[in-house]
């Protein structure tokens, strides 16, 4: 499996660390209900098909990436940075 | 038998080898199989279940019978295909799965009682008496089963792994593969052509085809010469592409040194990871057998192996050969044999409309119903129109048709498609993204068709790569049709083999269907069909045709099992190359490493680092003596230890304080300049992630420390929090763990030692930090303590680490102090009730360790919400306590706590021990542990019980801080 | 002058096999520079050289600014000026630098690094892994490479690279 | 290496024979039957189970004909007298993880909640052959967890003591003790020196497919309808209560529905409007070509996430950790393949020349604490048995036993009382690994 890092280009899967579903990006605000937190931390759509999940280019540029991916075929549809990189003056 | 004038072996280079203790001769270029055939060795192995004598069936890696053990100078290699192993001088081989000898095998008794060993018989018996299974039946079964054997000695062989990248990977170098590679290479593509054989050319080396009016081998030689000369082409012979993985990644095994005498440092095998933008599978096709009674006798072979043995190796496996076929492909074989002067006794063709063959006896609409000759074929019985005749032959070539070698197309769960026309499965397009299938692997069997398909596959792939059209003139050759009338089994009463390697017969498959195991997967698992070393390459299609017949379904409805990687078996050593010994994980060494070893310190691994366990002195015979001395030394004078392994993260920016408040549970941003604070970090699920200190080095400049174990974890966590939740904040951080060598100096004389080292008094309050000049080097000084004594940590750039360590050690020793290691460090922290990852083991909350007040109520932080769940606090939870034995008895970590007088059951256990040590300071064994409602139970007496190690000690529950509970020494 | 003796990570003599040499080299001053959000251009002005694009190196005189990851570059050569709109961290002691030069560099690295370095251009930089070790690859001229990994892992790196050289050498000798 | 196992007499006093109760005339398996059938050409063997058409209504329907589903049906019939029940299987019986695991059976957990459950499961294993009249080849070869530091020794000591507290067996081996049992390990390896091991003598292996077939046959004999090639496409709910299921073979009414679909739990639960605390991952496993006996035990090497045993056929069966990314592909990728092989080579380089014959992948339903769920759902009459992470095989008997108890009585069985669906919300976690709520780290 290869992921195309927006900064580093196509790289072997072994350079990356997998975290979990992109749900982790939608952290409940302070004071959110316990149900919201339970949902955020534990419950998952877990689709057999397209999903979005989070990968970390640990043996690379250290960018966190949001990957759109098919869990049945392993096809990678899109890879984008979780945070927009600041390299080269881009905002 | 060797045939003069034939073959591609080098007759000027004779080679001797040994098989089962006998010395034989062959030539360079021979495989073990061809050399054994040349020497008229017929029985090469014994079958798996019935221990029947077996000969050579094929000429390729799919061989199910001729598996042997190669005896190397240092070790043995079981289950080696004689058909793949190339001959070299001194090759030593023995047969396997027989006892006492290949000719006389006691377990051949299995063959006599075969009716009682039908498919799945073992599920129905061996159940009574119950203990007999492990005591008697299973050991017997295990010893009878298995094939070759491992020596039990470490494999000292050399192996390697490597990466290769290309535009196009072409798998297989027969006519289709060569044409693909040539077309693509001429268009400028970066090409890898891999073939499992020692020579490129595939079946063109075996068949007597013509291309452009000349023998095909001449065309092969020309193409290979051209490809060899091109810098954009890599030819990988002896390389089996074993697996297709995601995004154009392939696994491939190269036999680097297996075909020659071992040489120092030359890898035996190399496991390649090939990354290809496009790939073309041109792996050809595998001939399949027809099941008839005793069709596994030595001498019954695949028809297509005969021209390979003849034309590549100049041998024939019989003097009088018959061919049994249901298709046209065996005709060329017959002609080749005849031309070489071998007697072809008959062609038995199951098709009533089969063509004639000039000069040969052709029995049309006939079948071979039986083979005879236990240790080598003597005779076959031919049935035709209700009459049976016997024919004396010593070799029978069988062709039941061809199965495209489509295995790789199934590795990503692709399912092949059934072709009625070919009576075979063909690959589905797009089964592997970026892969095309060409030639026989795609069901195109003629030479012309293969060349055309190869060129077309190259063209389409080049177009996808944006490398132009790759037009090449196709060579002229024949385009013979492939006619087949399916024949899977010949009716009869005896046992007819499908899976030679696992001894699965037609009857077994029928019985499976009879017992309701009608799904093809059930049949496979019930009969073990296709689970042998050849993974069903020789038998799967026929077996499922038999199953389809037995269940009254068609082959399409019956379906197939799935081919999984690897295509051919791959040694663990090759795929695990580099893993042996120290290679499994990186080693990290401290700058003080050599100095510690110089003092005889045993080094132990923590995380990836090596740290000194203790520093033995002359006269000390146990680690405890050294540890006790080092602890007392720190408590009474001064000790030095290397703490550089702790994670150090440099954090800068105007928003750094805000960021720290978010990742630490407590408030850090209010820390004054030049001060250090203890920080607790939670996981988002509310459990403790790590603890450490955070120092404020400047207005916008902080230094976080982490535990050794969690350094990488914390860095990743910080990166996530920053990039996911506060990417716009003006904060950046970088690991400086490697940049600084840092040493703890602890004890009543610590200040004196630091003063001596710096040439001035440190003048730091407890939990203060400052920059210092150490012997002319810019460094940092922190007044922090993990021992409970007045303590400092002094840091210098790593290059000066060893010098400072040696200097600190020397100065400490003149003061009556010295070095202390991990054992003493552990006792010191236990005496003080400080926790490590023994306590924060991932299930611990801030509440459990008595730090719930460190989760600030005034701000949000990672983990705060989840830590508020009802199950995360309260008296039901186990809380950190100290324990002191009432007697002078050792205690053990991993022991459990029980109230006195209760039964020692899970339900009654009140807690457990995490850390223990002997405290020379308090002169008692001490323990830290977790106890239900523990903080409310100080003063109780409990039983500490470790039944694994026979420990049963009464202990008092106390506060976890045993030493200097008010912290007066720290602040001195 | 410091009174403490500075030591390099390895102190090993260069290792040569099959026309290829591995040697520990001193990169001098290495400073990690991480511009705060939106400050890359300001940083470039302050340093007098552009903050490099991913995988690139910019240069000004003897100073090189080497891309080293997301929003971070290593200034190699001079000590940076104060007051940059960036986090500035001295990394000189954090890394071991190994030079791999000679005939078989690409073959050796093909056994260690999951990248296609055959067509790597001088001045390119990659963050990747050397087997299990973190790695920065700086591409030099004539297929020479400078390999940076964590200083504490220097011995493992040396061992793994020389092992690969030995096997490549044995293959070359066998032909 | 089969040692003293041949001293049969030592075992005799412990032998007992429980004749299972047969509710319909069924063929009993025995050695005599094998011989008798062999003499007459094996023509008399009956199908192991019927192939019934689905009825319009059942008292209970189990979705999923894997090990857990078949065991649930069996114990519903055997322990609770429910026989008007059906198991609905999308493919063939045992087509899920029961047929693609590394066959290890153990009871070496340490957290209350897990301890009693797996202990109960092991006891059921120990009577399974006579209970089912099917040889599942349960072989208590002994399982050894190796440790490589003092800290790991302490952690395993805690585990071993917990096992003893639970009433199970455990022994702490030192280095020499390990060497005696496993002389072929690399004791000179300085990277992860072997300090010792925790021996679980009753741990071992079983023939995985046979477990599914044994339960299927025994359930069928008690009247359970096993319906293959029957995919559930919807779950009917009226007024908050389950009323049946929609299938590829028509609607089936049912008062109770059990959802036992490891590897598909999320999709099937979604049919009932449930979102589960589960993320599905792929776990690879490997088998080598057949070899003469060389590894007698089950060995677990935690530092390398590597475990290995040898099957009765002679193949070395081994595996490692998850591929770590969410997947339903039943196949993995090379990085984990290589990691597993490297771990094998660092621990026991004597297996280097064994060749890997086949690799495969199973879909693991990973929960946020690594422990399973056997519980009611918010829908009345709908029960769930899910989240087995990668420990489902050894759990099959107790999982079926407890799920049957739950479905029959509406109450959790005592040994599965902590496998609640809402424990993540309340923070009553069962996290043996201590790795927290990240699904794939367990």
């Amino acid at each position: 499996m290869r992921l195309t890092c927006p900064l580093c280009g196509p790289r072997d899967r072994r350079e990356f660390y997998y975290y979990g579903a992109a749900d982790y990006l939608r952290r409940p605000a302070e004071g959110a209900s316990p149900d919201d937190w339970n949902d955020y931390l534990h419950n998952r759509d877990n689709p057999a098909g397209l999903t979005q999940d989070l990968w970390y280019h640990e043996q690379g540029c250290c960018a966190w990436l949001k990957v759109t991916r098919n869990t049945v075929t392993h096809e990678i549809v899109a890879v984008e940075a979780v945070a927009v990189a600041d390299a080269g003056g881009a905002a | 038998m060797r045939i003069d004038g034939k073959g591609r072996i080098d007759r000027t280079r004779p080679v001797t080898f040994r098989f089962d203790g006998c010395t034989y001769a062959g030539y360079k270029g021979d495989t073990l199989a061809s050399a054994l055939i040349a020497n008229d060795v017929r029985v090469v192995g014994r079958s798996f279940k019935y221990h029947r004598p077996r000969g050579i069936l094929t000429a390729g890696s799919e061989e199910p019978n001729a598996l042997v053990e190669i005896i190397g100078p240092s070790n043995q290699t079981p289950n080696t295909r004689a058909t793949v192993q190339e001959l070299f001088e001194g090759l030593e081989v023995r047969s396997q799965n027989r006892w006492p000898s290949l000719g006389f095998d006691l377990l051949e008794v299995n063959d006599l009682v075969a009716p009682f060993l039908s498919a799945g018989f073992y599920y129905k018996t061996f159940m009574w008496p119950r203990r007999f299974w492990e005591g008697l039946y299973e050991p017997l079964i295990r010893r009878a089963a298995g094939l070759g054997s491992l020596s039990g000695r470490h494999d000292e062989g050399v192996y390697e792994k490597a990466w290769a990248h290309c535009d196009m990977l072409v798998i297989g170098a027969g006519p289709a593969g060569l044409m693909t590679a040539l077309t693509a290479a001429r268009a400028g593509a970066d090409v890898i052509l891999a073939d499992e054989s020692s020579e490129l050319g595939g079946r063109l080396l075996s068949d007597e085809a013509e291309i452009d009016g000349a023998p095909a081998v001449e065309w092969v030689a020309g193409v290979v010469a051209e490809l060899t000369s091109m810098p954009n082409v890599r030819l990988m012979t002896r390389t089996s592409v074993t697996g297709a993985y995601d995004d154009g990644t392939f696994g491939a095994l190269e036999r680097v040194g297996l075909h020659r005498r071992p040489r120092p440092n030359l890898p035996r095998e190399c496991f390649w990871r090939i990354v290809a933008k496009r790939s073309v599978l041109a792996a050809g096709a595998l001939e399949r057998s027809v099941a008839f009674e005793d069709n596994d006798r030595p001498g019954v072979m695949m028809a297509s192996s005969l021209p390979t043995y003849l034309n590549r190796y100049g041998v024939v496996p019989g003097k009088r050969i018959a061919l049994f076929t249901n298709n046209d492909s065996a005709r060329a074989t017959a002609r080749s044999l005849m031309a070489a002067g071998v007697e072809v006794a008959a062609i038995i063709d199951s098709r009533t409309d089969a063509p004639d063959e000039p000069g040969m006896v052709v029995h049309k609409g006939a079948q071979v119903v039986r083979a005879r000759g236990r240790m080598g074929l003597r005779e076959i019985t031919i049935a035709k129109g209700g009459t049976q005749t016997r024919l004396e032959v010593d070799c029978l070539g069988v062709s039941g048709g061809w199965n495209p070698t489509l295995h790789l197309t199934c590795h990503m769960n692709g399912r092949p498609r059934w072709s009625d026309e070919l009576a075979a499965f063909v690959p589905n397009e797009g089964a592997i993204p970026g892969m095309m299938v060409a030639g026989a692997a795609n069901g195109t069997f003629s030479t012309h068709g293969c060349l055309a398909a190869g060129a077309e596959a190259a063209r389409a792939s080049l177009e996808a790569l944006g490398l132009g059209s790759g037009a090449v003139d196709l060579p002229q050759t024949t385009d013979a049709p492939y006619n087949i009338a399916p024949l899977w089994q010949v009716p009869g009463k005896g046992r007819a083999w499908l899976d030679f390697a696992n001894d699965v017969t037609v009857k077994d498959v029928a019985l499976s269907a009879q017992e309701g195991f009608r799904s093809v997967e059930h049949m496979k698992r019930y009969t073990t069909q296709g689970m042998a070393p050849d993974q069903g390459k020789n038998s799967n299609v026929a077996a499922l045709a038999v199953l389809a017949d037995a269940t009254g379904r068609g082959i399409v409805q019956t379906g197939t099992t799935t081919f999984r990687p690897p295509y051919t078996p791959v040694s663990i050593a090759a795929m695990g190359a580099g893993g042996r010994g120290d290679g499994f994980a990186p080693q990290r060494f401290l700058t003080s490493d050599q100095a510690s070893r110089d003092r005889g310190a045993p080094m132990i691994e923590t995380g990836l680092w090596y740290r000194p366990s203790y520093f033995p002195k002359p006269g000390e015979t146990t680690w405890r003596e050294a540890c006790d001395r080092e602890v007392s030394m720190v408590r009474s004078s001064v000790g030095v230890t290397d703490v550089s392994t702790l994670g150090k993260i440099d954090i800068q920016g105007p928003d750094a304080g805000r960021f720290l408040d978010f990742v630490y549970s407590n408030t850090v941003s209010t820390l004054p300049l030049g001060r250090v604070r203890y920080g607790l970090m939670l996981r988002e699920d509310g459990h403790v992630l790590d603890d450490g200190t955070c120092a404020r080095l400047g207005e916008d400049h902080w230094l976080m420390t982490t535990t050794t174990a969690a350094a990488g974890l914390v860095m990743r966590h910080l990166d996530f929090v920053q990039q996911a939740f506060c990417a716009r904040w003006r904060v950046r951080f970088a690991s400086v763990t490697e940049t600084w060598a840092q040493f703890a100096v602890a004890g009543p004389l610590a200040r004196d030692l630091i003063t001596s080292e710096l040439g001035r008094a440190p003048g730091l309050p407890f939990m203060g930090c400052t920059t210092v000049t150490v012997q002319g080097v810019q460094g940092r000084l922190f007044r922090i303590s993990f021992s409970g004594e007045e303590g400092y940590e002094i840091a210098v750039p790593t290059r000066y680490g060893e010098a400072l360590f040696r200097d600190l050690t020397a100065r400490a020793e003149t003061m009556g102090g010295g070095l202390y290691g991990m054992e003493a460090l552990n006792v010191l922290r236990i005496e003080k009730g400080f926790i490590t990852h023994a306590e924060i083991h991932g299930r611990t909350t801030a509440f459990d360790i008595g730090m719930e007040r460190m989760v600030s109520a005034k701000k949000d932080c990672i983990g705060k919400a989840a830590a508020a769940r009802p199950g995360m606090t309260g008296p039901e939870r186990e809380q950190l306590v100290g324990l002191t034995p009432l007697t002078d008895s050792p205690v053990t970590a991993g022991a459990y706590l029980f109230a006195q007088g209760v039964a020692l059951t899970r339900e009654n256990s009140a807690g457990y021990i995490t850390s223990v040590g002997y405290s020379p300071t308090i002169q008692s064994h001490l323990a830290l542990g977790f106890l239900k409602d523990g903080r409310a139970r100080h003063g109780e007496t409990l039983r500490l019980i470790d039944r694994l190690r026979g420990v049963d000690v009464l202990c008092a529950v106390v506060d976890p801080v045993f030493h200097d509970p008010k912290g007066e020494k720290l602040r001195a | 002058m410091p009174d403490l003796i500075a030591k390099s990570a390895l102190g090993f003599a260069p290792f040569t096999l099959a026309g290829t040499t591995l040697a520990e080299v001193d990169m001098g001053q290495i400073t990690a520079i991480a511009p705060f959000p939106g400050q890359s251009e300001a940083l470039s002005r302050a340093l007098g050289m552009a903050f490099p694009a991913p995988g690139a190196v910019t240069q000004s005189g003897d100073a090189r600014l080497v891309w080293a990851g997301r929003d971070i570059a290593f200034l190699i050569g001079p000590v940076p000026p104060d007051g940059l709109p960036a986090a500035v961290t001295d990394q000189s002691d954090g890394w071991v630098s190994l030079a791999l030069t000679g005939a078989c560099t690409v073959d050796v690295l093909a056994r260690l690094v999951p990248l296609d370095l055959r067509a790597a251009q001088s001045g390119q930089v990659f963050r990747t892994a050397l087997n299990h070790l973190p790695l920065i690859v700086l591409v030099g001229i004539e297929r020479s490479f400078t390999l940076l990994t964590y200083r504490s892992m220097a011995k493992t790196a040396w061992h793994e690279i020389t092992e690969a050289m030995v096997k490549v050498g044995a293959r070359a000798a066998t032909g | 290496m089969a040692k003293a196992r041949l001293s049969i007499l030592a075992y005799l006093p412990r032998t007992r024979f429980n004749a299972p109760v047969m509710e319909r005339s069924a063929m009993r398996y025995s050695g005599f039957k094998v011989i008798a059938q062999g003499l007459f050409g094996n023509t008399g063997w009956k199908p192991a189970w019927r192939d019934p058409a689905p009825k319009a209504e059942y008292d209970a329907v189990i979705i999923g004909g894997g090990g857990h589903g078949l065991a649930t049906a069996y114990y519903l019939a055997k322990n609770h007298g429910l026989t008007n029940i059906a198991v609905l299987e999308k493919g063939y019986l045992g087509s899920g993880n029961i047929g693609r695991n590394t066959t290890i059976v153990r009871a070496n957990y340490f957290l209350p909640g897990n301890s009693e459950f797996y202990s109960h499961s092991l006891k059921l294993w120990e009577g399974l052959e006579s209970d089912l009249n099917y040889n599942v080849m349960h072989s208590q070869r002994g399982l050894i967890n190796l440790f490589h530091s003092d800290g790991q020794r302490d952690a395993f000591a805690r585990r071993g003591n917990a096992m003893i507290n639970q009433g199970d067996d455990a022994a702490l081996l030192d280095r020499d003790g390990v060497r005696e049992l496993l002389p072929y390990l690399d004791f000179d390896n300085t990277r992860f020196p072997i300090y010792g091991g925790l021996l679980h003598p009753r741990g071992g292996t079983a023939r995985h497919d046979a477990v599914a077939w044994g339960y299927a046959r025994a359930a069928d004999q008690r009247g359970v309808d096993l319906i293959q090639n029957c995919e559930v496409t919807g779950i009917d709910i009226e007024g908050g209560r389950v009323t049946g299921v929609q299938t590829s073979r028509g609607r089936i009414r049912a008062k109770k529905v059990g959802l036992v679909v490891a590897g598909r739990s999320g999709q099937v639960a979604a049919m009932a409007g449930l979102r589960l605390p589960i993320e599905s991952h792929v776990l690879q496993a490997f088998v080598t070509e057949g070899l003469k006996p060389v590894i007698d035990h089950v060995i677990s090497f935690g530092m390398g996430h590597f475990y290995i045993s040898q099957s009765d056929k002679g193949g070395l069966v081994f595996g490692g950790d998850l591929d770590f990314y969410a997947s339903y592909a039943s196949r993995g990728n090379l990085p984990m393949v290589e990691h597993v092989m490297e771990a094998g080579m660092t621990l026991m380089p004597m297996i280097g020349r064994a060749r890997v014959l086949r690799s495969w992948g199973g879909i693991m339903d990973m929960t946020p604490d690594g422990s399973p769920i056997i519980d009611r759902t918010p829908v009345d009459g709908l029960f769930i048995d899910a989240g087995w992470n990668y420990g489902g095989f050894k759990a099959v008997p107790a999982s079926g036993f407890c799920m049957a108890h739950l479905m029959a009585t509406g109450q959790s069985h005592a040994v599965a009382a902590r496998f609640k669906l809402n424990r993540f919300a309340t923070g009553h976690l069962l996290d043996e690994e201590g790795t927290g709520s990240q699904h794939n780290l367990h």
Side-chain angles (χ1 to χ4, degrees), chain B residues 81 97 123 132 134-135 138 145 161 246 273 413 515 522 565 570 582 586 605 610 869 871 906 947, chain D residues 5 8 48 93 135 139-141 161 165-166 190-191 207 289 292 312 329 333 338 342 356 359 424 426:
Chain B
R81 279 84 179 138
N97 200 37
Y123 300 127
F132 274 35
E134 282 150 29
E138 190 185 37
K161 284 198 275 196
D246 285 306
R273 286 72 59 99
N413 294 337
E515 294 195 75
H522 276 160
V570 183
D582 291 345
E605 204 235 22
Y610 285 82
R869 286 179 287 176
R906 169 183 51 78
R947 282 188 276 180
Chain D
R5 286 239 171 96
I8 299 153
L93 296 176
N135 187 357
S139 174
Q140 297 185 293
R141 324 193 59 76
N161 277 310
N165 292 343
Q166 176 59 39
T190 55
R191 190 68 191 86
R207 169 85 179 96
E289 298 173 338
K292 292 297 175 193
D312 287 342
N333 275 292
E338 294 177 31
E342 288 170 18
V356 175
S359 62
F424 308 103
T426 64

Side-chain angles (χ1 to χ4, degrees), chain B residues 598-860:
Chain B
D598 289 348
R599 286 168 177 272
M603 304 301 282
I604 52 169
E605 204 235 22
T606 53
L608 298 172
W609 293 94
Y610 285 82
R611 303 181 74 180
S613 185
Y614 56 93
F615 294 90
K617 290 269 192 216
E620 289 173 348
T621 53
T622 67
W623 69 270
R624 256 290 302 282
E625 288 175 72
C627 177
D628 289 355
R629 173 183 48 74
E630 289 171 15
V631 170
S632 303
M633 173 186 79
V634 172
R635 295 277 178 237
S636 63
S637 61
V638 62
V640 174
T641 195
D642 192 335
V643 292
S644 308
T645 62
L646 296 181
K648 297 180 275 293
I649 301 171
D650 187 284
I651 303 173
Q652 298 179 35
D655 292 318
R658 191 179 163 200
F659 180 72
L660 290 167
D661 284 348
F662 189 37
V663 295
Y664 278 123
S665 71
N666 49 322
T667 302
V668 176
S669 59
T670 53
L671 188 68
L673 210 70
R675 299 303 292 262
V676 184
R677 185 168 288 172
Y678 177 78
L680 190 67
M681 216 178 270
L682 304 182
R683 296 191 306 231
E684 192 71 282
D685 71 4
H687 295 90
V688 178
L689 167 65
D690 199 36
D691 68 346
T693 61
C694 194
R696 190 166 199 172
L697 304 178
E699 183 59 34
D700 295 336
H701 190 184
W702 309 71
L703 184 71
M704 171 189 287
T705 64
T706 74
T707 58
T708 302
L713 195 70
V714 168
M715 193 66 192
R716 184 165 70 215
H717 174 68
L718 297 185
D719 265 336
F720 179 73
V721 172
Q722 194 261 336
Q723 293 179 40
F725 304 136
C726 42
R728 298 276 157 190
W729 293 7
R730 291 164 300 163
V731 58
R732 295 286 187 227
F733 39 86
S735 168
V736 290
T737 306
E738 297 272 344
T739 314
W740 297 91
Q742 192 154 317
F743 306 100
V745 176
L749 301 182
R751 193 182 311 181
D752 295 344
L753 177 52
I754 294 294
T755 301
S756 155
E757 189 65 54
L758 298 181
R760 64 171 177 83
L764 268 184
F766 178 57
M767 298 302 265
C769 68
T770 185
T771 55
V772 289
T773 303
V774 190
Q775 314 268 331
V777 172
Q778 282 297 106
R780 289 170 177 169
L781 186 69
F782 309 85
R783 184 167 168 192
I784 50 182
S785 171
F786 195 55
S787 61
E789 298 301 321
E790 180 172 348
Y792 295 85
E793 289 189 9
I794 185 167
V796 290
T798 308
R799 72 186 70 177
Y800 302 112
E802 181 173 350
L804 178 58
F805 180 80
R806 289 186 188 274
D807 196 46
L808 283 169
T809 307
R811 288 174 199 267
E813 285 172 346
T814 61
M815 301 166 76
L819 293 169
Y820 64 105
M822 295 292 287
E823 296 291 353
L825 191 144
N826 194 42
V827 172
L828 290 163
R829 69 96 191 170
I830 291 171
E831 289 177 337
K832 191 62 190 165
F834 287 139
I835 53 175
T836 66
H837 280 281
E839 284 73 36
I840 45 178
H841 48 48
R843 291 173 295 273
T844 314
T845 65
F847 173 85
D848 299 341
I849 52 175
M851 292 191 188
E852 67 270 30
R853 282 190 303 280
M854 282 190 73
V855 184
S856 169
K858 295 179 189 158
K859 62 177 181 70
D860 189 19

